[in-house]
Amino acid sequence: GSSVLAVRFSTNGKYLASAGDDACVCVYAPTKSSFTGGNLMDQSVEHWTRIKLCRGHTLDVVGLAWAPDDSHLVSCSLDSDAPII
């Protein structure tokens, strides 16, 4: 399996980006879940759905950073590239 090497929430908290040794960057957004259980602990569970899968690196992605206004995401990799998404 692959390992997650970087995780960053967007500034506004609406998105979560992750990256790892599979050379991919994933962006997630929260999913509205329908809570029907009776267990109080279940209410604190969040569900996130991948909304974007970005490929382009050839080696491990080790860093992520959101623009202050969340308009862009930059990733850096061991392949020395730093594309802006």
Side-chain angles (χ1 to χ4, degrees), residues 52-66:
K52 186 96 172 156
L53 174 62
C54 305
R55 298 173 196 229
H57 287 292
T58 56
L59 294 173
D60 302 11
V61 181
V62 294
L64 297 167
W66 289 93

Side-chain angles (χ1 to χ4, degrees), residues 5-11 15-19 26 62-66 73-74:
L5 302 176
V7 176
R8 295 291 179 271
F9 277 98
S10 60
T11 306
Y15 302 103
L16 175 66
S18 70
C26 298
V62 294
L64 297 167
W66 289 93
L73 174 68
V74 64

Side-chain angles (χ1 to χ4, degrees), residues 9 13-16 27-37 39-51:
F9 277 98
K14 291 183 179 180
Y15 302 103
L16 175 66
V27 179
Y28 300 88
T31 306
K32 293 182 180 174
S33 61
S34 55
F35 173 73
T36 57
N39 186 345
L40 208 64
M41 293 299 290
D42 292 339
Q43 293 180 14
S44 64
V45 174
E46 293 182 357
H47 298 277
W48 292 72
T49 301
R50 186 177 69 201
I51 60 170

